[in-house]
Amino acid sequence: MRALGVPFETLDGVYARSRNFDTLNKNLAAAVLEAAKGGRVVYCVDGSVAEDVSAQIVLQKGRDVRVHTGVSKADAAFAAAKVFSRDRAALSAYAIAESGRPLLPLAVYDVDCDLVAGDVKLRLCELFGDETEAFFVRGGAAKKIRLFELDRQGEYDASCAVVVGEIPLLRRTRFTYDDLLSVLRLLRAPDGCPWDRVQTHESIRSNMIEEAYELVDAVDSKDDAKILEETGDVLMQGAFHSVLAQERGAFTPDDVTSAVCQKLIFRHSHIFGKDKAEDEAGALSVWDRNKAEEKGQKTPSDTVRDVPSAFPAVLRAQKVAKRAAKFGYDFQDAAEAAEKVKEELGELLEALAEGDKAHIAEEAGDLLFAAVNVGRLAGADCEESLQESTRKFVRRFCETDALVRADGRQMQDLPAAQLWKYYEEAKKRHG
């Protein structure tokens, strides 16, 4: 530039006084715009203007700004790696932490030191797998590496980039939700899996129930490996239903994800809107109010009828009673509800004396519903309470069986009084 008689200056001083890259870009743009107040200025950046944040700020805030395009760092990296595609993505290494999941092929430029290379490696390995093949580009030359080797290349400068090409579905070790949909569609294809091809919403209905319970069981076991597996199974069931619906023209997987995001935003108006919630109870109140509005629930009956009939019986009874209570339809406390248990127990015994099976079944249900109300008003989660009581019974039963067999006997051969003594001993040992 000096040889041409054109005055110039570097902006190294701006770099030195900037705390981070966000501040640097703002300061660079401010320096250029300030200089432009005194006359025409040419601001030269490395690569394409589209890849330089400070240049983009100048474009947004400046007047009469003209762009003379240069060679994109990403384009140069793709060319060096000989990776060509119409649909491809490019990111600065300094922006990769804030980015979502990029498309492939992908070029990450500005990999200018080993520390930055390490950050990029961690993110790309998380997305695509440690052993994924890639190209390390430096000075216009590319060499094949595995992603885990990105921060082991010895020399780095401003020309360095990493390029990841397309990865065929069956060679991937890391997958996205879109990949899951692709797998399901392949299984549903005419030459796909004979079992998957014939399934319907109704035929896989029970699978979702089973998988949901298996996930809950995994959570109870506090086993992260099981939680991971069962969470995937539940996700797969939901994806399967969305694929089936898309085939019928009912809705698409994108409709599903859009609907659930819209629901979360609408119901959390204390986060995304003007409502306020100071604590958990307040947040739940906002959620319930927004949910009722969303579902068009205008009467108490609308709210109570909305509890799914496919819920487990105890869970449904508790939710129905809880919703009814919001409209004042409830006992004063657990003690008053307990009186109803006594009443229902008496009616069950009367039905039992009559010997009418239909009446017995009716009164047994009334007794159970009344018991759920007592537990609910006492502050218990009745579904979980009954599950725990069942687990406790199984534990004690198995211990009783072990004690009996240790004495060389069989449970079914013992009189009730003696069997009960074994059971009491089992309770003392394991609670």
Side-chain angles (χ1 to χ4, degrees):
M1 296 291 283
R2 285 197 181 96
L4 296 175
V6 178
F8 78 97
E9 65 177 286
T10 67
L11 297 175
D12 292 347
V14 177
Y15 181 92
R17 69 171 185 269
S18 299
R19 292 176 298 173
N20 52 50
F21 283 96
D22 184 52
T23 303
L24 171 63
N25 288 316
K26 292 177 181 178
N27 289 342
L28 288 171
V32 173
L33 293 169
E34 181 63 29
K37 292 179 180 179
R40 299 178 67 184
V41 171
V42 176
Y43 179 41
C44 299
V45 298
D46 184 24
S48 165
V49 169
E51 296 168 352
D52 190 278
V53 177
S54 64
Q56 293 171 23
I57 297 174
V58 171
L59 283 171
Q60 292 171 358
K61 296 186 175 182
R63 294 181 179 179
D64 301 323
V65 179
R66 296 173 61 188
V67 174
H68 297 274
T69 58
V71 177
S72 160
K73 295 178 185 179
D75 286 347
F78 280 125
K82 296 183 178 179
V83 173
F84 306 105
S85 173
R86 291 182 180 179
D87 298 319
R88 58 191 187 183
L91 288 170
S92 168
Y94 291 93
I96 195 168
E98 292 81 31
S99 67
R101 187 183 184 95
L103 297 173
L104 292 178
L106 167 69
V108 181
Y109 51 87
D110 293 337
V111 186
D112 52 20
C113 69
D114 57 348
L115 292 176
V116 172
D119 291 339
V120 174
K121 178 191 78 170
L122 290 175
R123 179 59 176 151
L124 294 185
C125 287
E126 177 187 12
L127 292 173
F128 307 117
D130 297 0
E131 296 287 340
T132 297
E133 290 184 352
F135 293 92
F136 178 71
V137 179
R138 179 173 179 267
K143 70 172 183 176
K144 278 188 176 183
I145 63 169
R146 303 284 183 177
L147 280 180
F148 73 85
E149 300 174 315
L150 180 56
D151 58 349
R152 306 177 188 180
Q153 299 307 302
E155 294 185 68
Y156 301 87
D157 56 39
S159 71
C160 291
V162 59
V163 175
V164 183
E166 283 284 1
I167 307 172
L169 182 65
L170 298 184
R171 289 179 54 195
R172 298 181 189 182
T173 58
R174 306 286 290 176
F175 296 88
T176 67
Y177 184 69
D178 284 340
D179 293 331
L180 172 59
L181 295 172
S182 295
V183 170
L184 289 169
R185 287 170 181 141
L186 288 172
L187 295 175
R188 292 279 295 174
D191 58 347
C193 172
W195 184 88
D196 289 282
R197 287 203 312 266
V198 300
Q199 299 311 307
T200 64
H201 289 294
E202 292 75 20
S203 69
I204 63 171
R205 172 184 176 277
S206 62
N207 294 6
M208 175 58 85
I209 297 172
E210 292 175 12
E211 298 298 354
Y213 276 113
E214 288 178 8
L215 174 55
V216 171
D217 191 63
V219 170
D220 290 343
S221 72
K222 295 181 172 57
D223 185 327
D224 286 338
K226 286 185 178 180
I227 294 173
L228 184 155
E229 177 186 357
E230 300 303 339
T231 299
D233 289 345
V234 170
L235 179 64
M236 185 272 289
Q237 290 297 323
F240 203 159
H241 281 286
S242 70
V243 168
L244 292 172
Q246 186 173 33
E247 291 173 355
R248 296 187 294 106
F251 55 81
T252 70
D254 286 340
D255 292 332
V256 174
T257 52
S258 295
V260 72
C261 287
Q262 290 169 359
K263 177 191 295 185
L264 287 171
I265 292 170
F266 179 77
R267 293 190 186 178
H268 285 90
S269 55
H270 54 293
I271 303 297
F272 305 112
K274 297 180 180 179
D275 288 323
K276 302 294 182 183
E278 300 299 328
D279 51 26
E280 181 181 350
L284 187 59
S285 176
V286 172
W287 172 280
D288 287 341
R289 185 181 69 247
N290 289 338
K291 180 179 179 181
E293 179 184 342
E294 173 193 290
K295 291 181 172 291
Q297 296 172 353
K298 298 180 180 180
T299 68
S301 297
D302 292 338
T303 303
V304 170
R305 274 197 298 258
D306 188 58
V307 178
S309 58
F311 271 4
V314 173
L315 176 61
R316 184 167 187 247
Q318 182 166 276
K319 282 193 171 291
V320 164
K322 187 176 180 180
R323 291 193 181 185
K326 293 180 179 180
F327 301 97
Y329 197 88
D330 202 6
F331 298 98
Q332 291 184 359
D333 51 31
E336 184 181 16
E339 293 300 317
K340 187 66 174 177
V341 172
K342 297 177 184 177
E343 176 187 328
E344 297 297 349
L345 177 59
E347 292 179 4
L348 173 58
L349 294 175
E350 290 176 6
L352 188 61
E354 295 171 2
D356 186 330
K357 290 185 177 181
H359 193 194
I360 292 171
E362 177 187 354
E363 297 301 340
D366 290 346
L367 175 60
L368 292 170
F369 192 87
V372 166
N373 277 324
V374 175
R376 174 180 59 84
L377 289 165
D381 181 326
C382 296
E383 180 73 21
E384 180 55 36
S385 295
L386 184 56
Q387 289 281 9
E388 179 55 36
S389 290
T390 303
R391 285 192 289 266
K392 180 170 61 179
F393 175 80
V394 170
R395 185 171 63 248
R396 290 175 177 175
F397 179 88
C398 293
E399 178 62 21
T400 301
D401 181 39
L403 291 173
V404 171
R405 286 187 290 107
D407 286 343
R409 311 173 81 175
Q410 297 291 328
M411 291 181 69
Q412 58 269 30
D413 297 333
L414 297 178
Q418 197 166 9
L419 190 57
W420 190 254
K421 290 182 180 179
Y422 277 106
Y423 185 79
E424 291 297 324
E425 179 62 27
K427 285 175 59 177
K428 291 178 184 177
R429 294 193 180 196
H430 295 285

